[in-house]
Amino acid sequence: MQRRPDEASAKPFLRGRLFAGAAALALLAISAPALAQTAPAQGARQTVEQPGPDGLTSDGLYLEADSITEDREAHVITATGLVQGRYQGRLLRADRVDYQTETGLLSASGNAELINPDGTLQYADTIELDDELRAGVATGFATLLQDNIRIASATAVRRSETVNELNNAIFTPCDICNSEGEPSEPTWSIQAETVVQDQENAVVFYRNAVIRVAGVPVFYSPVFWHPDPTAERQSGFLIPTITTSDGRGFSYEQPYLWVISPHQDLIISPQVNASVNPFLNLDWRRRFYSGQANIRAGYTHERLFGNIDTLPGPGADFENERYGEAESRGYVLGEGEFNINRDWRWGFSVERVSDKSLFDRYDIEDVYEDRGLYLTDYRRLISQAYVVRQTQRSFFSLAVLSFQSLRPIGFGGFGFSTRDARGVVYEDDGTLPLVGPMIEARWEPEDPVLGGRLRFRGSAVALFRQDYVGSPVLSPLYAAAPPPADMSGVDSTRATVEIDWRRSITTSGGLRFEPFLTGRADVYSVSDLPAVGSPSENDALSRFNATLGVDVRYPLIRRFEGGSVTLEPMAQLAVSPDADIDPRIPNEDSQVLELDETSLFQENKFPGYDLYEGGARLSLGVRTTVEMGPTRRGSLFVGRMFRAEDEPDYLRPIAGSPGQLYDPTGISETSSDWVVAATLQPFANASGWARARLDDDLSVRTAEVGFGARFRENDRVSLRYIVDNTDPSPLGSRNYETVQVSGQVFLVGDWGVSFRAMRDLDENLWRRSEVGLLYEDECLRFELLYERDETVFGQTGLRSSEGVFVRLNLATLGGSGY
């Protein structure tokens, strides 16, 4: 049957089109306007609605049943048997359906089932629907919503378009049947005498609510509420974080989400501690028409505390203590980015903290995240403001940056500060530069030049230091000179222009050539250099370099049954004038060179501008790849570089050995370190990798080996080994050797263990270790964890702490502890 929008004319029409029988089928698709409607004006255009995929227009009704009868006196049409009806994308199934032609009301009984356009389901013993097939009153009601949400109640009443009321109801996002299809208790549920869903305010209210875990009541409240799971977001309490630790004792943090507007919210997270004063965390987000901003902040008024001692030696465990004066302490972590127009945007990041160990003491998470245009490294904060213009073939950025260091570093001396803790020595912020401005630009013409890609680059930077810092920023000549006690830091500015041309040529035999040509000019201004035979120097410097070269690759492949082997020899020949490494130029951006299988074939392997390669050099390598079907493969790369002459300007002083130098780069001699890299995938869901630098006698200078695997559905383990032996200093402050392991393994059903640890092989010490009891199913993840932190702060003390905390994530209600 199909009902017209005009009820007065539709009801007689329905009566006149009734069919009955043991297997009756009625389908009426009416698209012409009703006779009772006002006729359109002469000449007016009439719009005819096109039927949908099911053949019905927006107001069409399809009803199918074993038997359909009509009681003309009662104005009731009754369908019995296997009844099925469709209207406005909704599907109704039941054993019996009664339709009142006068009022348009419809009632269904016997295994009634309503499927909505969004795929959600509603079940009931009996259900009364309005004239648009929406529930009015139901008994024995149950529904399956999105995200596996299940709601059941003795009765359900639709009070209005936006308010639904359930009586004697239960709510759960968990499965209610086991893997064999038998009924089972949900992992967690909320039971209540009355539940009211207010869709307009996007909240669900409970009266006399009981939260059950595995059927066992664990919490009761006369009034309880949470955001409507069908709403995007709503104000309310989030899952709390509960921990115990040496420093703070028992700690409870309760976040509350305040949705200020559709485009703005604030999370207020007070952390209440048993041993120290509370700590307030705030997280504000707002989306503007042109961008968005996110600001986190925290505050407390407290003394310092922690397991800190002036005695050196790993493995020591000291009692927690409070010391110093109580004062205001806090932090701010924020970022924002906004579009000016299609090509231009501007942004900022702000990262500052009052005490260098505050994040550690209060377990503030997600501190060292990527914010803004430029990224910083381990335990350093960066604040910046920038503007960027980017098109398909050009890029321009201008930024100013400042840094704050949270790094513990050692004994003391130049560039050290002991502000935060007894015996703990930190890097001094005054030794870090203020950068302003930093400019980067790039442009490429649209058309090829001489058959290849041409690119122009420009770069400029100004750096200002408050305090003196020697190696590795200053060259050995200036770093060796003892500065006066009041010596200020070295300031420098640089401007660079570059041109880069490259072309790719592949022969019919598969040999690939890539000739390239680069040119670069630098201008420096350096001030406040330490005196070397004369007063403090201020110099203007310039230099030029050009490189002509070619990359050659010749991949050879042999296929066999079930797989293939690929052998790819590769080479790069580059010729430049000898490098002009002036000792007066500070090394600000090229202190670390990662020599690996990718950088080996770069014409300039240094990441920045202050150091660069010159002379004639030849890089050689070969990669072998074996594939055995779609899930098994492995590869091995071996290579090294040769240069015509040694480059002594890459050498740096050895800490603790005055007058002695070493090569941290691995490329200063006529033969570079060996570069080795390998990957292995022995079967699906398991993979390993390795990379290493070896010297001439094949001793390991740096190496990293990792392996990861997934077993069954949710079991996973990973292992990583890292070693760095590049620093020959007797102090050994830069060398390290660690093993990291993490994973989770389910032992019985949904129960398992999780673990994460880092072992310092040099100190024979577990730096961080975490082990926990784990439960996870389709609607809940729970971890009870024990964590121990034995982080050596420099060589003057040990911060040893341990604690127990809970990680909890409930489906539809948010998470905690992540």
Side-chain angles (χ1 to χ4, degrees):
M1 297 181 182
Q2 183 173 18
R3 180 179 55 81
R4 295 174 183 264
D6 192 312
E7 293 293 339
S9 58
K11 293 166 189 172
F13 183 85
L14 286 172
R15 289 195 295 269
R17 290 290 188 270
L18 180 64
F19 296 90
L25 174 65
L27 175 60
L28 298 112
I30 299 178
S31 56
L35 296 177
Q37 292 178 325
T38 303
Q42 185 175 2
R45 173 177 293 181
Q46 300 186 37
T47 301
V48 179
E49 181 181 358
Q50 296 298 321
D54 58 1
L56 298 179
T57 57
S58 60
D59 61 346
L61 171 65
Y62 172 93
L63 187 62
E64 174 183 337
D66 291 341
S67 173
I68 301 178
T69 60
E70 180 185 19
D71 185 341
R72 294 179 181 272
E73 294 183 359
H75 306 290
V76 175
I77 298 174
T78 302
T80 58
L82 300 176
V83 184
Q84 180 171 290
R86 290 202 310 270
Y87 179 69
Q88 290 190 347
R90 294 179 174 86
L91 176 63
L92 172 68
R93 297 192 182 106
D95 295 339
R96 176 188 175 102
V97 171
D98 294 305
Y99 176 69
Q100 299 182 24
T101 58
E102 289 289 330
T103 61
L105 296 181
L106 184 149
S107 62
S109 60
N111 301 311
E113 176 182 318
L114 182 64
I115 304 176
N116 296 301
D118 60 2
T120 58
L121 304 177
Q122 295 174 355
Y123 307 92
D125 295 335
T126 63
I127 186 171
E128 293 184 4
L129 308 175
D130 60 17
D131 57 357
E132 294 184 357
L133 286 190
R134 291 177 299 187
V137 178
T139 62
F141 176 78
T143 181
L144 176 61
L145 305 178
Q146 296 176 354
D147 299 323
N148 201 44
I149 296 171
R150 292 171 167 83
I151 300 175
S153 66
T155 60
V157 180
R158 186 177 181 87
R159 296 296 184 186
S160 68
E161 287 291 323
T162 60
V163 177
N164 298 317
E165 179 181 309
L166 307 177
N167 297 291
N168 296 326
I170 182 172
F171 166 96
T172 182
C174 308
D175 289 341
I176 56 176
C177 295
N178 58 25
S179 58
E180 298 178 356
E182 299 175 348
S184 63
E185 286 286 349
T187 304
W188 70 270
S189 63
I190 303 176
Q191 247 179 297
E193 179 181 309
T194 303
V195 179
V196 177
Q197 180 189 32
D198 187 341
Q199 294 176 327
E200 181 176 356
N201 295 307
V203 67
V204 178
F205 292 95
Y206 297 81
R207 182 181 301 164
N208 294 326
V210 177
I211 297 180
R212 296 177 179 269
V213 177
V216 178
V218 297
F219 177 81
Y220 167 80
S221 176
V223 178
F224 180 78
W225 71 92
H226 64 74
D228 187 343
T230 62
E232 292 186 4
R233 58 191 183 131
Q234 179 66 20
S235 298
F237 290 103
L238 305 179
I239 301 301
T241 299
I242 303 173
T243 64
T244 62
S245 64
D246 292 341
R248 304 191 316 275
F250 178 82
S251 178
Y252 180 88
E253 183 172 347
Q254 177 60 70
Y256 178 83
L257 172 63
W258 176 23
V259 178
I260 303 172
S261 71
H263 50 269
Q264 182 178 195
D265 61 35
L266 174 67
I267 298 178
I268 306 170
S269 302
Q271 181 190 95
V272 181
N273 306 295
S275 301
V276 297
N277 287 338
F279 193 96
L280 177 63
N281 292 288
L282 302 174
D283 188 347
W284 174 80
R285 300 183 304 172
R286 177 166 180 174
R287 182 177 294 276
F288 300 84
Y289 74 95
S290 61
Q292 59 185 3
N294 181 197
I295 306 293
R296 294 173 54 195
Y299 174 81
T300 190
H301 190 274
E302 181 56 279
R303 301 169 65 191
L304 294 171
F305 63 91
N307 292 349
I308 305 296
D309 199 276
T310 57
L311 298 176
D317 192 3
F318 305 101
E319 294 294 333
N320 178 60
E321 61 172 324
R322 300 170 69 188
Y323 52 91
E325 297 294 330
E327 59 182 81
S328 293
R329 308 180 190 278
Y331 71 90
V332 59
L333 302 169
E335 64 177 326
E337 187 168 275
F338 306 90
N339 295 320
I340 300 173
N341 55 35
R342 185 180 63 179
D343 299 332
W344 287 87
R345 69 182 190 272
W346 73 274
F348 70 91
S349 73
V350 54
E351 300 178 346
R352 281 297 183 267
V353 64
S354 61
D355 308 309
K356 294 180 181 291
S357 58
L358 182 138
F359 294 130
D360 304 302
R361 299 176 193 278
Y362 290 93
D363 288 333
I364 307 301
E365 297 184 340
D366 302 325
V367 173
Y368 306 104
E369 291 188 331
D370 297 341
R371 300 181 182 90
L373 184 64
Y374 292 95
L375 311 181
T376 188
D377 49 9
Y378 176 67
R379 293 189 70 90
R380 280 178 176 167
L381 305 179
I382 180 173
S383 297
Q384 58 187 300
Y386 60 89
V387 61
V388 174
R389 181 184 187 274
Q390 186 169 7
T391 65
Q392 186 175 5
R393 294 190 172 274
S394 67
F395 176 85
F396 170 85
S397 69
L398 184 149
V400 293
L401 310 95
S402 68
F403 302 89
Q404 182 182 14
S405 177
L406 310 182
R407 290 182 177 180
I409 51 176
F411 287 114
F414 294 110
F416 296 144
S417 169
T418 58
R419 177 173 182 261
D420 263 7
R422 299 177 180 179
V424 178
V425 182
Y426 289 89
E427 185 178 34
D428 187 359
D429 296 338
T431 64
L432 302 177
L434 173 65
V435 182
M438 175 181 286
I439 301 173
E440 299 285 343
R442 181 180 69 250
W443 177 75
E444 298 179 14
E446 183 175 356
D447 298 325
V449 177
L450 299 178
R453 185 265 300 154
L454 181 65
R455 177 178 295 163
F456 296 92
R457 293 191 185 93
S459 173
V461 65
L463 300 102
F464 306 93
R465 272 191 172 83
Q466 179 180 350
D467 298 330
Y468 171 83
V469 60
S471 180
V473 174
L474 299 184
S475 66
L477 175 63
Y478 288 92
D486 58 349
M487 181 72 185
S488 62
V490 175
D491 301 333
S492 65
T493 59
R494 173 188 54 79
T496 299
V497 292
E498 293 181 276
I499 185 172
D500 175 12
W501 175 86
R502 179 178 289 267
R503 180 179 179 182
S504 178
I505 303 171
T506 304
T507 69
S508 58
L511 185 64
R512 182 175 180 179
F513 297 89
E514 288 193 9
F516 60 87
L517 174 65
T518 64
R520 192 179 103 185
D522 302 323
V523 177
Y524 281 86
S525 176
V526 183
S527 59
D528 297 328
L529 280 168
V532 178
S534 63
S536 178
E537 300 184 18
N538 300 284
D539 294 301
L541 313 167
S542 63
R543 64 188 185 185
F544 173 80
N545 187 55
T547 302
L548 176 64
V550 61
D551 286 321
V552 182
R553 297 172 183 259
Y554 191 35
L556 304 169
I557 184 170
R558 181 169 184 176
R559 304 183 186 278
F560 55 88
E561 185 177 356
S564 64
V565 176
T566 303
L567 184 68
E568 185 180 13
M570 56 193 73
Q572 181 189 83
L573 175 64
V575 180
S576 310
D578 291 339
D580 181 14
I581 309 296
D582 195 302
R584 294 171 292 179
I585 296 177
N587 181 12
E588 300 282 3
D589 58 14
S590 302
Q591 298 174 14
V592 178
L593 187 153
E594 296 289 343
L595 185 60
D596 56 24
E597 68 274 21
T598 56
S599 63
L600 183 65
F601 291 93
Q602 295 175 355
E603 63 270 19
N604 179 27
K605 299 169 183 56
F606 289 98
Y609 294 90
D610 296 333
L611 292 180
Y612 67 95
E613 290 191 86
R617 51 210 185 270
L618 175 66
S619 298
L620 298 174
V622 60
R623 175 179 283 108
T624 302
T625 304
V626 179
E627 295 188 1
M628 304 285 291
T631 61
R632 294 189 297 166
R633 61 178 59 90
S635 68
L636 174 66
F637 172 87
V638 179
R640 74 186 310 189
M641 185 191 73
F642 303 91
R643 63 172 61 251
E645 297 180 358
D646 290 346
E647 185 52 80
D649 291 325
Y650 298 162
L651 304 180
R652 286 294 176 260
I654 299 177
S657 299
Q660 297 187 36
L661 304 176
Y662 80 105
D663 175 24
T665 67
I667 63 171
S668 68
E669 299 181 355
T670 54
S671 299
S672 75
D673 290 344
W674 286 96
V675 175
V676 181
T679 63
L680 177 66
Q681 183 174 323
F683 49 86
N685 300 324
S687 62
W689 71 95
R691 57 180 64 93
R693 279 173 50 190
L694 312 176
D695 58 19
D696 286 334
D697 61 1
L698 302 184
S699 298
V700 176
R701 298 196 68 189
T702 65
E704 179 180 2
V705 181
F707 180 80
R710 297 182 67 94
F711 305 94
R712 295 180 292 186
E713 183 177 358
N714 294 314
D715 294 349
R716 59 180 181 268
V717 295
S718 64
L719 180 68
R720 187 181 182 194
Y721 169 80
I722 308 173
V723 61
D724 189 332
N725 294 320
T726 57
D727 187 1
S729 167
L731 302 179
S733 59
R734 294 181 182 271
N735 292 343
Y736 56 87
E737 186 177 12
T738 62
V739 172
Q740 302 173 13
V741 60
S742 64
Q744 64 180 33
V745 178
F746 287 87
L747 304 176
V748 180
D750 296 324
W751 290 92
V753 294
S754 63
F755 52 89
R756 182 177 62 178
M758 182 175 70
R759 179 75 174 177
D760 188 331
L761 301 181
D762 284 337
E763 301 291 344
N764 195 29
L765 177 71
W766 291 102
R767 293 292 188 202
R768 296 180 67 93
S769 55
E770 178 185 293
V771 62
L773 178 66
L774 168 66
Y775 178 88
E776 182 177 18
D777 61 18
E778 75 285 346
C779 65
L780 178 145
R781 181 181 173 93
F782 169 83
E783 289 181 271
L784 179 63
L785 295 146
Y786 167 80
E787 182 181 76
R788 183 172 179 84
D789 186 347
E790 295 186 355
T791 303
V792 172
F793 281 176
Q795 298 185 24
T796 60
L798 181 72
R799 179 185 184 270
S800 176
S801 66
E802 57 185 358
V804 177
F805 61 100
V806 173
R807 287 179 182 163
L808 179 64
N809 190 59
L810 299 177
T812 76
L813 296 185
S816 174
Y818 290 93

